[in-house]
Amino acid sequence: MTVPLLSVEKLEVVYHRAITAVQGISLSVKPGQIVAVLGNNGAGKTTTLRAVSGFLGLDDARVTEGNIVFKGMRIENRRPDKITHLGLVLVPERDKVFPNLTVAENLAAPVAHRAGRAERRRREALVYEFFPQLAALKGRIAGLLSGGERQMLALGSALVGSPELLLIDELSLGLAPVAVESLMRRLVEIRDGLGLSILLVEQNASIALEIADYGYVLENGRLVLDGDPKRLLQHQDIREFYLGQTTSGERKSYRAVKQYRRSRRWYG
Amino acid sequence: MQLGVNIIVLAAIYALIACGYVLIYRVSRVLNLAHGELMMLGSYLLLATASTFTGHPLVAIAVALVLSLCVGALVYLFLMRKMAGEMVLAAVLTTIALGILLRGVMVIVWSAQQQYPGQALGVVNPAIALPGGARISTMAALLVLATAVIYGALFAFLRFSRWGVRMRAAGQNPLLAAQRGINLHAIYALAWGLSTLTGSIAGMLISLDSGLTGTMVLIGLKAFPAALVGGLDSLVGALFGALIVAAAEISLIHYVDPLLSDVVPFLVLIVMLIIRPWGLFGTREELDRV
């Protein structure tokens, strides 16, 4: 069995020293894998990603239990910039680019750890190779980009840091289905081209499971399901709650769903 | 003519001091109310190096400049760093406390008497006659020149250098900056260093022109309206704000009463806060955070 690139064990995160956001979450990403984490609003997906990528003092959040191991190193509660230097880079859900900087400046700002001038230029060129649209927008202020262009720029500026593991929070949020599909394809190309691993957090379950090698499902700050994406897609809960399908093909009423959830919590 | 020259010189003084307020505010949203004291400390450092390095005035000046850059960075590293993540108000109050502390220390070390770093350095300050019958002292002319050069350099630094771009990035979104591998502490320390350096250059030139006493703090405080009138997060704004405040101050002194000198900048400030509280070039949304 291959050693995981990232492994999270029994993670517990507490905000403002009082509010527990996630509890006992364990997951792992193996080299070269795309791993999807699914869950509704408030399920703890973003908190998990933020814990892995590091909190600032401003967040007033801490990993209080469990551990996060990246390339054999414990990284919980380290500073975000140090974690980025290790090769673990986050593309956040909101505020993912610097809105008052141009596209070129957005790609110039990230620190490329231990990279010389030539290597740095190569990486920036690589971004324009993966996202040719950005090359035409070099001088444009990032705040004026469309949602899709902004997402490309965010991915590009993450790639300048030469990540081994890319954490992506809600790639599909607010984008047209066509744009999401093309971005997902681009993501697989990037994975194959650069040999990196991706941890993808998504609400859009079907599209995430389509490209993923493994999937996890979070609910209310806990891990409730995990497994092979194909198997997850067949799972009755996933079909009902994330894809809106029932076995008989008709939609369930809100009440039935609520009832079902309550019973799930007993054996989940 | 002389009136115009006076306005330009005073505007240069205010602009050079105001850019220090802007640098720190823009990067970390903290209002440094110890800026006047740090600027005065720069002038006293020149006084100290002038008596230590007697070889050449330029050596003393260079050492004093390096020291003031370090003072700014150290203030961040040892004091303000602890405030990162706390409420902005706490940080601002800390700068007030720092200012009071510095003022006390400077009186103890250098006494409250008027001192002349120019004499200690052995530099002369002859007046230069300008076309049109106006006169300007050498140091005042140097001050205008220094302001132009420093503003040019700051614009180029923020626009074209990688660290300048990172500084702007950190000012916009510190969390994303950290996630892109930027060391926020290094950026903030750099901002504090540069701010104290530019403030000290202003302080040194003023003290070379007209001597050095504890009242210099007041000049630092009077430059604050200039920064705010321009909009606290804009360097261009600081230039225009300095010009407006200086023009108002000089003309009221000339046409009304010299005693108004210390009041005018704050009058301008109040008027500005009533009609356009985010300043001439400031970002409107910034105001919510103040």
Side-chain angles (χ1 to χ4, degrees):
Chain A
M1 201 177 134
T2 35
V3 185
L5 183 62
L6 171 81
S7 81
V8 176
E9 274 165 44
K10 299 197 175 68
L11 180 73
E12 183 181 290
V13 178
V14 175
Y15 282 101
H16 309 297
R17 298 190 189 92
I19 306 154
T20 307
V22 298
Q23 215 169 19
I25 285 182
S26 301
L27 53 88
S28 74
V29 183
K30 296 194 186 101
Q33 262 187 337
I34 296 182
V35 172
V37 177
L38 312 175
N40 287 321
N41 279 336
K45 303 173 309 245
T46 297
T47 301
T48 307
L49 277 201
R50 294 273 286 104
V52 173
S53 64
F55 293 114
L56 276 189
L58 282 162
D59 298 320
D60 200 10
R62 275 193 83 73
V63 175
T64 46
E65 294 249 348
N67 50 51
I68 305 170
V69 180
F70 180 65
K71 292 197 288 184
M73 277 170 286
R74 297 275 299 259
I75 58 163
E76 63 268 14
N77 293 324
R78 280 208 207 180
R79 263 170 37 196
D81 53 320
K82 302 271 184 211
I83 291 176
T84 300
H85 293 170
L86 291 176
L88 199 164
V89 184
L90 172 75
V91 179
E93 178 187 342
R94 271 169 292 157
D95 302 327
K96 58 191 91 192
V97 296
F98 300 107
N100 296 342
L101 300 188
T102 63
V103 167
E105 285 172 335
N106 262 286
L107 294 179
V111 174
H113 194 53
R114 299 217 174 118
R117 249 163 220 260
E119 168 66 12
R120 167 125 211 158
R121 264 202 300 276
R122 194 187 67 80
R123 286 187 201 171
E124 286 179 26
L126 200 68
V127 172
Y128 292 122
E129 227 169 84
F130 278 119
F131 304 107
Q133 293 97 315
L134 290 180
L137 300 166
K138 275 184 187 177
R140 177 84 56 95
I141 298 287
L144 301 175
L145 297 179
S146 74
E149 290 161 350
R150 202 174 301 197
Q151 194 60 272
M152 289 179 209
L153 180 58
L155 282 170
S157 79
L159 288 180
V160 172
S162 191
E164 282 175 60
L165 175 61
L166 205 53
L167 309 175
I168 303 176
D169 199 354
E170 303 280 9
L171 189 75
S172 68
L173 200 76
L175 296 184
V178 190
V180 174
E181 240 168 70
S182 108
L183 267 178
M184 290 288 176
R185 265 202 308 278
R186 219 78 66 91
L187 217 51
V188 176
E189 279 169 32
I190 289 171
R191 190 266 309 259
D192 297 340
L194 300 179
L196 44 79
S197 316
I198 297 172
L199 182 61
L200 195 63
V201 156
E202 268 296 334
Q203 283 198 50
N204 188 338
S206 57
I207 196 128
L209 289 178
E210 207 170 287
I211 64 162
D213 303 304
Y214 201 82
Y216 293 90
V217 180
L218 304 187
E219 218 168 81
N220 291 324
R222 287 164 197 276
L223 189 65
V224 290
L225 263 180
D226 69 304
D228 181 75
K230 289 192 189 66
R231 205 172 59 83
L232 285 180
L233 274 172
Q234 297 308 315
H235 197 282
Q236 202 187 356
D237 288 3
I238 301 275
R239 293 177 69 91
E240 283 182 22
F241 297 129
Y242 294 97
L243 308 177
Q245 306 161 340
T246 56
T247 33
S248 55
E250 65 203 44
R251 294 185 73 92
K252 281 200 172 182
S253 73
Y254 173 71
R255 194 171 172 167
V257 168
K258 210 169 148 191
Q259 190 72 31
Y260 187 77
R261 285 218 162 164
R262 201 171 298 137
S263 62
R264 261 189 48 73
R265 215 156 292 146
W266 289 104
Y267 58 82
Chain B
M1 186 63 202
Q2 187 64 46
L3 204 66
V5 171
N6 289 353
I7 290 176
I8 298 283
V9 171
L10 191 64
I13 291 176
Y14 286 161
L16 194 49
I17 303 171
C19 75
Y21 286 110
V22 172
L23 272 175
I24 291 181
Y25 182 80
R26 189 166 155 164
V27 179
S28 63
R29 299 280 166 261
V30 171
L31 200 53
N32 174 21
L33 291 175
H35 194 52
E37 281 81 0
L38 285 168
M39 158 189 145
M40 187 162 80
L41 181 62
S43 333
Y44 276 118
L45 284 175
L46 179 63
L47 194 69
T49 56
S51 52
T52 319
F53 303 90
T54 46
H56 195 282
L58 282 182
V59 178
I61 291 172
V63 173
L65 289 179
V66 173
L67 282 178
S68 60
L69 183 77
C70 296
V71 165
L74 290 176
V75 165
Y76 174 74
L77 290 175
F78 284 101
L79 190 69
M80 301 312 293
R81 193 161 70 130
K82 308 260 188 307
M83 291 290 128
E86 299 293 326
M87 285 203 329
V88 170
L89 183 66
V92 176
L93 289 177
T94 309
T95 66
I96 295 179
L98 172 72
I100 295 170
L101 186 82
L102 281 178
R103 229 178 298 164
V105 169
M106 282 185 279
V107 169
I108 294 171
V109 176
W110 286 290
S111 87
Q113 275 181 338
Q114 176 115 0
Q115 316 235 30
Y116 293 95
Q119 276 178 4
L121 275 175
V123 289
V124 283
N125 186 21
I128 304 167
L130 294 174
R135 295 168 75 79
I136 184 172
S137 70
T138 312
M139 288 306 157
L142 265 179
L143 211 150
V144 176
L145 190 71
T147 304
V149 170
I150 285 170
Y151 265 79
L154 278 178
F155 279 123
F157 170 72
L158 289 171
R159 179 117 218 127
F160 301 114
S161 82
R162 208 176 277 286
W163 277 94
V165 171
R166 283 180 187 152
M167 218 173 208
R168 282 156 61 208
Q172 285 172 40
N173 185 344
L175 177 61
L176 183 62
Q179 284 163 348
R180 289 292 163 268
I182 299 170
N183 182 347
L184 291 177
H185 292 311
I187 292 280
Y188 293 156
L190 182 63
W192 274 85
L194 284 178
S195 160
T196 309
L197 176 69
T198 51
S200 297
I201 292 173
M204 288 173 195
L205 286 166
I206 295 168
S207 65
L208 286 176
D209 195 25
S210 52
L212 173 57
T213 59
T215 53
M216 186 183 267
V217 172
L218 196 66
I219 305 176
L221 209 58
K222 278 162 75 182
F224 174 62
L228 221 138
V229 165
L232 258 179
D233 58 342
S234 160
L235 275 180
V236 184
L239 269 181
F240 280 94
L243 204 58
I244 291 169
V245 172
E249 184 174 340
I250 297 282
S251 21
L252 281 173
I253 289 175
H254 187 77
Y255 294 114
V256 186
D257 189 337
L259 285 175
L260 284 174
S261 161
D262 291 345
V263 188
V264 179
F266 298 97
L267 271 178
V268 177
L269 175 65
I270 289 171
V271 172
M272 196 64 195
L273 283 177
I274 292 169
I275 54 174
R276 198 181 156 91
W278 56 93
L280 288 175
F281 293 83
T283 324
R284 199 165 180 168
E285 48 108 22
E286 301 298 346
L287 200 74
D288 305 334
R289 306 186 199 172
V290 178

